[in-house]
Amino acid sequence: MTEAQTFKLSGVALPLDGAQMLDQICEHFIEHADVKRTGNAALLTSAFGSAIIRLQESELLIELDCPSEKALQLTRTSIAEHMFYFAGSDRLRLTWSQTVGRAVLPNLHEVTVVSAENVTPHMRRVRFACADVAPFIGGDMHVRMLIPPKGRPPVWPGYRADGRIAWPAGEDELVVRAYTIRAVDAERSELWIDFLQHPVAGVATPGADFARDARIGQVVALLGPGAGRRPAAESILMIGDESALPAIARIAAEVPASAKIQAIVEVSDAEEEQPLPSAGLLDVRWLHRNRYPTGAAGTLSREGIEAILASSAETFVWVACEKEDVRSVRACLKDRGHAKSRIYAAWYWEK
């Protein structure tokens, strides 16, 4: 039996504080990979392959081992982007054993608007034609949408020498926003994305503006998918507001018939409620923000924590909403000792 071919790449990072950066990498990637830390070394394993990161004196030595060239490039980019994010304004030098050209990213999908309609007064659905919908079926749900400037042909990103994404600038600068693939219509080769139309004056909402003005034939690109995989559990508790409703709806739609789901969803009023069809046994409770007493805050997190405390240790807790609400729920889960493998907690916006 011949051993399957793998693709390898090594890199060297010189941050201001290598130990602190290794700590940050391990803390962050635990939500996206299996992370095993042994002293000054960490092994990160995911569907894309493995990465070994070792602290040697002031340097971080990186070894990547992936099943395909595409997975290797995506893993390199993910690590590079995160390292520079963790470094912030501090210096960071990152080099790789092989150079990378400015070719178009392997997970970039050019899509075309097919239709747009309002699902509720503040949720607008845009359907896109996509040549290959296979990567979006049964896996990660989140993408980055790339919207080119009006009246200009799109210039899509490639790679920088350090592995990060090289974004077009100047007149070709793209609007980049993260969204959830609400549904995949494999027969029509279409993807659905729901856009929340934020009713807050004075707040820049280029993604929502795109959805409001979307016209048939308009071309954008999707980068991904990445992160946000459907929980593989028989018991799921979902806590979220309208920003998380597309993900909640898709999870509910794709669970097996044996799954039991409890969902607590906060929206402005009854008009923002949506049908949540599911093969599983679904119990959904809607919270209407407009009916809260004046000055009330944290209602969603309090209701969510109450449900967590009443749930079993085997329940997968999925939460996505405003930053402070997520922090409150995370603290409860940590105090409870809930297994990290049964938690997804991400803030989708902040006040």
Side-chain angles (χ1 to χ4, degrees), residues 273-287:
E273 295 183 14
Q274 295 183 31
L276 300 177
S278 178
L281 181 61
L282 174 64
D283 174 21
V284 59
R285 180 151 56 97
W286 297 95
L287 305 179

Side-chain angles (χ1 to χ4, degrees), residues 165-184:
I165 296 174
W167 295 102
E171 293 183 335
D172 295 321
E173 184 176 359
L174 303 165
V175 170
V176 183
R177 291 293 185 272
Y179 287 101
T180 299
I181 298 296
R182 168 62 182 83
V184 180

Side-chain angles (χ1 to χ4, degrees), residues 114-115 125-134 136-138 181-193 250 254:
V114 173
S115 66
R125 177 169 299 159
V126 181
R127 291 180 170 90
F128 299 90
C130 179
D132 181 15
V133 299
F136 301 93
I137 298 174
I181 298 296
R182 168 62 182 83
V184 180
D185 187 334
E187 290 186 1
R188 294 177 176 268
S189 293
E190 291 181 3
L191 306 173
W192 301 3
I193 297 181
R250 180 167 176 189
E254 294 189 354

Side-chain angles (χ1 to χ4, degrees), residues 109-318:
H109 308 264
E110 194 172 272
V111 298
T112 305
V113 174
V114 173
S115 66
E117 62 182 343
N118 288 339
V119 179
T120 70
H122 290 117
M123 192 71 78
R124 187 162 176 81
R125 177 169 299 159
V126 181
R127 291 180 170 90
F128 299 90
C130 179
D132 181 15
V133 299
F136 301 93
I137 298 174
D140 293 335
M141 297 188 295
H142 299 329
V143 295
R144 278 188 282 180
M145 175 174 284
L146 315 183
I147 307 171
K150 289 183 178 179
R152 292 186 63 80
V155 176
W156 303 129
Y159 288 114
R160 296 172 58 154
D162 56 28
R164 285 182 291 171
I165 296 174
W167 295 102
E171 293 183 335
D172 295 321
E173 184 176 359
L174 303 165
V175 170
V176 183
R177 291 293 185 272
Y179 287 101
T180 299
I181 298 296
R182 168 62 182 83
V184 180
D185 187 334
E187 290 186 1
R188 294 177 176 268
S189 293
E190 291 181 3
L191 306 173
W192 301 3
I193 297 181
D194 287 357
F195 297 77
L196 180 61
Q197 302 294 297
H198 303 267
V200 181
V203 176
T205 57
D209 295 346
F210 158 79
R212 182 195 62 215
D213 302 330
R215 63 187 187 278
I216 295 173
Q218 189 171 355
V219 174
V220 298
L222 304 179
L223 200 56
R229 188 173 293 267
R230 176 178 62 79
E234 292 296 295
S235 175
I236 303 171
L237 169 60
M238 295 190 287
I239 303 160
D241 58 21
E242 52 267 268
S243 68
L245 192 47
I248 290 172
R250 180 167 176 189
I251 292 169
E254 294 189 354
V255 297
S258 57
K260 294 181 179 180
I261 313 170
Q262 181 183 1
I264 302 172
V265 188
E266 181 185 71
V267 293
S268 60
D269 53 43
E271 288 189 315
E272 294 303 319
E273 295 183 14
Q274 295 183 31
L276 300 177
S278 178
L281 181 61
L282 174 64
D283 174 21
V284 59
R285 180 151 56 97
W286 297 95
L287 305 179
H288 297 155
R289 191 182 304 106
N290 289 354
R291 299 183 63 181
Y292 294 167
T294 302
T299 300
L300 176 60
S301 60
R302 287 195 298 271
E303 295 288 339
I305 288 170
E306 184 177 324
I308 289 169
L309 296 177
S311 68
S312 74
E314 299 303 308
T315 298
F316 190 105
V317 178
W318 189 101

Side-chain angles (χ1 to χ4, degrees), residues 63-132:
E63 297 292 338
L64 307 182
D65 191 343
C66 301
S68 68
E69 180 68 26
K70 177 180 177 180
L72 186 70
Q73 299 294 356
L74 295 175
T75 302
R76 165 167 43 189
T77 297
S78 177
I79 289 175
E81 294 280 355
H82 282 93
M83 281 188 165
F84 278 93
Y85 175 78
F86 296 144
S89 59
D90 294 339
R91 64 162 174 79
L92 171 63
R93 190 184 74 215
L94 177 58
T95 58
W96 299 94
S97 57
Q98 298 174 17
T99 58
V100 58
R102 202 185 182 285
V104 174
L105 306 179
N107 61 336
L108 187 143
H109 308 264
E110 194 172 272
V111 298
T112 305
V113 174
V114 173
S115 66
E117 62 182 343
N118 288 339
V119 179
T120 70
H122 290 117
M123 192 71 78
R124 187 162 176 81
R125 177 169 299 159
V126 181
R127 291 180 170 90
F128 299 90
C130 179
D132 181 15

